[in-house]
Amino acid sequence: AQSVTQLDSQVPVFEEAPVELRCNYSSSVSVYLFWYVQYPNQGLQLLLKYLSGSTLVKGINGFEAEFNKSQTSFHLRKPSVHISDTAEYFCAVTLTYGQNFVFGPGTRLSVLP
Amino acid sequence: DAGITQSPRHKVTETGTPVTLRCHQTENHRYMYWYRQDPGHGLRLIHYSYGVKDTDKGEVSDGYSVSRSKTEDFLLTLESATSSQTSVYFCAISEGGEKLFFGSGTQLSVL
């Protein structure tokens, strides 16, 4: 079974600084990878996804992620964060079309003024 | 936004009572999911459905049952609620393995 690790439970960063949120997964076969964001008291929204093709994926709100198959990683990056990026971020993986999406434990990003 | 409605939004109940949460979609998506969200665990899959009357267990299915008699509705039942089932429950839908759309969640407290 696949699993997802997010090594950092909390990441504080100053406004306009760059940020990287780490995600590693375990799987012996090809996967689809996702990053979701959850703002306070809301459901999750898709930030970006990797299905195939280019390993650098661009998403909404200036975020991007790079798929690294050899390191089984899918780290999320943003070159300059805003206060409004304060939220919890979840990495997720799925193997099979339409079936189980497995989520990591989440990383809480706090952007400080 | 995808048309997903969860009801109720908040529920307080007592240990041992049955509880049913409802998820309703207007997108005609094939797949529907129930997740629970707990601090430090992210989202964990309880049950999912891949069609009317077709359901399967997730990683934390003990103490929960589901039913899907219509494409648009997916019910989650806690047959005898326990304090360990206090959580935020999210319904999600998908047309295929490309992405999930989430509802706004149900905050359940079992006293």
Side-chain angles (χ1 to χ4, degrees), chain A residues 30-33 49-57 67 74, chain B residues 98:
Chain A
S30 296
V31 297
Y32 297 160
L33 294 155
K49 62 185 179 183
Y50 172 79
L51 303 181
S52 64
S54 172
T55 57
L56 183 62
V57 179
F67 171 56
F74 191 54
Chain B
E98 291 202 3

Side-chain angles (χ1 to χ4, degrees), chain B residues 32-72:
Chain B
M32 299 186 75
Y33 306 78
W34 277 107
Y35 286 89
R36 60 177 289 173
Q37 183 178 23
D38 304 288
H41 291 278
L43 278 80
R44 292 179 291 175
L45 183 65
I46 305 171
H47 283 278
Y48 68 98
S49 169
Y50 45 96
V52 174
K53 292 186 168 49
D54 292 324
T55 65
D56 206 350
K57 296 179 180 181
E59 66 175 299
V60 290
S61 60
D62 287 348
Y64 301 94
S65 62
V66 290
S67 66
R68 191 170 179 198
S69 58
K70 298 185 289 185
T71 299
E72 57 266 35

Side-chain angles (χ1 to χ4, degrees), chain A residues 32 34 36 38 42-44 46 49 51 90 94 97-101 103-105, chain B residues 31 33 35 37 40-43 45 48 90 95-100 102-104:
Chain A
Y32 297 160
F34 307 82
Y36 284 84
Q38 184 181 32
Q42 295 186 25
L44 280 73
L46 181 69
K49 62 185 179 183
L51 303 181
F90 293 93
T94 184
Y97 186 80
Q99 293 191 3
N100 188 9
F101 289 74
F103 286 81
Chain B
Y31 298 92
Y33 306 78
Y35 286 89
Q37 183 178 23
H41 291 278
L43 278 80
L45 183 65
Y48 68 98
F90 285 99
E95 186 47 39
E98 291 202 3
K99 64 179 177 180
L100 295 170
F102 283 86
S104 299

Side-chain angles (χ1 to χ4, degrees), chain B residues 5-102:
Chain B
T5 305
Q6 290 187 233
S7 58
R9 291 295 311 277
H10 303 273
K11 175 80 174 176
V12 179
T13 191
E14 294 185 349
T15 299
T17 59
V19 176
T20 295
L21 308 183
R22 180 178 183 243
C23 178
H24 178 79
Q25 62 149 327
T26 58
E27 306 296 321
N28 201 35
H29 281 1
R30 177 182 176 189
Y31 298 92
M32 299 186 75
Y33 306 78
W34 277 107
Y35 286 89
R36 60 177 289 173
Q37 183 178 23
D38 304 288
H41 291 278
L43 278 80
R44 292 179 291 175
L45 183 65
I46 305 171
H47 283 278
Y48 68 98
S49 169
Y50 45 96
V52 174
K53 292 186 168 49
D54 292 324
T55 65
D56 206 350
K57 296 179 180 181
E59 66 175 299
V60 290
S61 60
D62 287 348
Y64 301 94
S65 62
V66 290
S67 66
R68 191 170 179 198
S69 58
K70 298 185 289 185
T71 299
E72 57 266 35
D73 290 325
F74 193 34
L75 304 180
L76 176 70
T77 298
L78 289 65
E79 291 150 16
S80 178
T82 68
S83 59
S84 64
Q85 293 176 313
T86 292
S87 186
V88 181
Y89 291 85
F90 285 99
C91 175
I93 64 174
S94 173
E95 186 47 39
E98 291 202 3
K99 64 179 177 180
L100 295 170
F101 296 96
F102 283 86

